[in-house]
Amino acid sequence: MVKKKTCIFISGQGSNLKNLIFHSRDNSFPIKISLVISNSKKAKGIQYAKKYKIPYFFINTKIKNYENKILLILKKHKISFICLAGYMKMISNSLIKSYQKKIVNIHPSLLPKFKGLNTFSRMLKNREIKGGCTVHFVNEKLDSGNTIIQKEFFINSEDDERTLKYKTQKLEYRAFPEAIIKIFRNN
Ligand code: GRF
């Protein structure tokens, strides 16, 4: 099996990156992580790129045409698939057009509920019964592309933002690899 050369975009901790690196070391997993892009030099997740000797790149989103720069780097590394794993920037339309149905994102809620930021505080305020995560294709609208996989759990009265994050991320570490397997099995 020829693995798809994949770039992971991050902004922070990178625990999903770490998890995907772990899964991608399995011969039967459909992707190889060939590049990591971060929009922040402070992103702790870069440590995993360094540790596992994956090329990484910091992108300054304040400069003009920074998305063109991203496109060039992706082309240079022959990237054919992109995972957004805690990337806190919107992806431009030109990038979406170049990678139609080839960009996926993980979001910490049961979409279409709670698109955008601060999902856990809004869920608590809304007295939601269930939390969860969604892996979906990325389109021009925020957190709105087709869902690939969702996983859910029941919220209890003792849950706070910290426990909701913990429970959600535990599910994310299963959902993201499963979604990737599902995408390439259908291709
Ligand atoms: C994840 O919980 C994901 O749902 C959200 O950002 C978080 C990133 O966490 N989009 P990490 O950087 O992978 O640890």
Side-chain angles (χ1 to χ4, degrees):
M1 184 192 58
V2 182
K3 287 175 175 253
K4 305 279 174 196
K5 290 191 176 184
T6 298
C7 176
I8 314 287
F9 282 58
I10 62 166
S11 298
Q13 290 294 327
S15 65
N16 279 284
L17 166 65
K18 180 185 173 200
N19 179 53
L20 289 177
I21 292 172
F22 173 76
H23 281 275
S24 67
R25 298 173 100 193
D26 186 324
N27 282 341
S28 62
F29 197 65
I31 65 165
K32 172 185 161 63
I33 299 170
S34 306
L35 185 65
V36 174
I37 289 182
S38 170
N39 66 321
S40 162
K41 286 207 168 156
K42 290 190 188 136
K44 289 203 176 133
I46 285 299
Q47 64 175 304
Y48 302 117
K50 288 182 181 162
K51 183 170 176 189
Y52 295 100
K53 307 211 174 346
I54 300 165
Y56 59 91
F57 206 88
F58 295 111
I59 199 84
N60 179 358
T61 54
K62 291 198 179 86
I63 60 167
K64 230 178 156 190
N65 292 334
Y66 76 88
E67 293 267 2
N68 287 343
K69 230 177 167 177
I70 292 181
L71 262 175
L72 282 175
I73 300 160
L74 295 173
K75 293 269 163 343
K76 188 176 153 205
H77 288 266
K78 301 193 167 45
I79 298 299
S80 61
F81 187 65
I82 294 172
C83 298
L84 308 182
Y87 184 62
M88 302 306 281
K89 281 266 156 196
M90 282 291 281
I91 292 288
S92 75
N93 286 353
S94 64
L95 192 54
I96 291 169
K97 281 206 183 90
S98 306
Y99 283 89
Q100 280 283 346
K101 283 253 175 196
K102 300 278 188 294
I103 309 178
V104 296
N105 179 45
I106 187 147
H107 185 78
S109 78
L110 296 169
L111 291 173
K113 284 185 165 182
F114 307 107
K115 296 174 183 178
L117 299 175
N118 306 317
T119 48
F120 303 128
S121 60
R122 287 188 286 144
M123 278 159 62
L124 290 169
K125 212 169 161 190
N126 231 36
R127 297 182 183 280
E128 288 296 306
I129 295 169
K130 286 175 182 174
C133 66
T134 306
V135 184
H136 65 94
F137 287 107
V138 172
N139 66 11
E140 293 80 1
K141 286 194 194 141
L142 179 69
D143 300 327
S144 296
N146 287 347
T147 293
I148 303 152
I149 272 183
Q150 275 189 329
K151 289 198 184 286
E152 58 182 46
F153 63 89
F154 283 103
I155 298 174
N156 64 47
S157 55
E158 275 127 53
D159 275 319
D160 55 21
E161 286 186 44
R162 192 183 55 83
T163 61
L164 288 185
K165 181 175 175 184
Y166 176 78
K167 290 178 183 179
T168 304
Q169 290 208 315
K170 248 178 100 171
L171 291 182
E172 289 184 349
Y173 305 146
R174 288 173 36 218
F176 221 160
E178 278 179 36
I180 291 167
I181 289 169
K182 189 174 169 194
I183 290 167
F184 292 106
R185 190 184 292 148
N186 294 341
N187 270 349

